[in-house]
Amino acid sequence: MHGFFEQETQKEHVVLTMGDMTKPEPLLARIHSECLTGDGLFSLRCDCGAQLQAALHKIAQVGRGAVFYLRQEGRGIGLLNKIKAYHLQDAGADTVEANEALGFGADMRKYDLLKPMLEHFGVKQLRLMTNNPRKIQALREIGIDVVERLAHETGRNPHNQKYLDTKKGKLGHMFEGSQSESEE
């Protein structure tokens, strides 16, 4: 476990690593934004907790990799605003509409903070577990070569169907199928 402090936001971020990080081969990695409700409280409203668990499992199977755990709760709007967005979603808004109704963009997360983290480990190439094209683009903008995108679909259930449809339809997430937890 490695800790990093982001001066601009005063937030602490964590990187969980396994295996030899100095090898020149592309590193299996997951960039995961904090989700207290999904990661820690096992909410079925999202797929975050399932994605985190699946990434840790895949890294353990391979024996080398990293999870970059970024403190960007609620797509960057923070926990209390995320709770407000949940109330708007309960009234019928999707996740993008809820964020926008609160005066935020659909996704406020930033990924430039990954540059010093990756430099610390000497990582220049990733095999990235993600469905989010913004993460791939952001990594390329900071000089990281994403040599492979690994689809990372897990955790679909009846409670998060609209959420996942919104991620695909409004945020451009790349879903290849409709994988449920039992299909993992």
Side-chain angles (χ1 to χ4, degrees):
M1 182 181 294
H2 308 267
F4 292 85
F5 182 73
E6 185 183 10
Q7 194 68 40
E8 180 184 334
T9 63
Q10 300 290 297
K11 289 186 178 178
E12 299 163 330
H13 307 278
V14 174
V15 181
L16 301 172
T17 63
M18 178 178 228
D20 185 354
M21 297 291 286
T22 63
K23 287 185 178 181
E25 299 93 39
L27 181 71
L28 177 62
R30 166 88 182 142
I31 298 166
H32 190 87
S33 294
E34 175 182 38
C35 178
L36 174 65
T37 53
D39 299 342
L41 302 176
F42 313 107
S43 173
L44 296 176
R45 293 178 84 123
C46 64
D47 56 345
C48 303
Q51 286 186 328
L52 179 60
Q53 290 174 16
L56 292 169
H57 182 75
K58 285 178 187 176
I59 289 168
Q61 284 182 315
V62 171
R64 179 175 176 265
V67 171
F68 294 80
Y69 196 88
L70 307 180
R71 306 287 308 282
Q72 301 188 103
E73 181 77 47
R75 289 197 192 112
I77 67 173
L79 181 59
L80 296 181
N81 284 316
K82 179 180 175 179
I83 293 168
K84 291 176 187 175
Y86 274 3
H87 291 293
L88 293 171
Q89 291 168 36
D90 290 342
D94 65 34
T95 59
V96 170
E97 294 164 347
N99 280 17
E100 290 173 346
L102 293 171
F104 298 105
D107 190 338
M108 303 292 294
R109 293 176 293 181
K110 296 178 0 182
Y111 299 104
D112 54 331
L113 59 108
L114 289 164
K115 186 173 177 75
M117 293 175 172
L118 290 160
E119 286 173 350
H120 173 80
F121 297 110
V123 172
K124 295 181 183 341
Q125 295 183 318
L126 294 177
R127 295 177 56 233
L128 190 64
M129 293 179 274
T130 190
N131 304 316
N132 186 345
R134 283 190 66 233
K135 289 181 184 177
I136 297 167
Q137 182 61 34
L139 285 163
R140 289 184 174 146
E141 288 172 5
I142 61 169
I144 301 300
D145 184 15
V146 178
V147 299
E148 183 180 11
R149 178 193 78 89
L150 302 165
H152 199 61
E153 299 175 48
T154 187
R156 185 177 294 271
N157 67 70
H159 305 284
N160 67 15
Q161 186 65 45
K162 183 177 178 182
Y163 168 81
L164 294 173
D165 290 346
T166 300
K167 283 173 82 170
K168 182 176 183 174
K170 291 188 176 181
L171 299 173
H173 285 227
M174 301 172 283
F175 294 125
E176 296 169 3
S178 59
Q179 191 173 36
S180 69
E181 284 185 81
S182 61
E183 296 170 332
E184 220 177 309

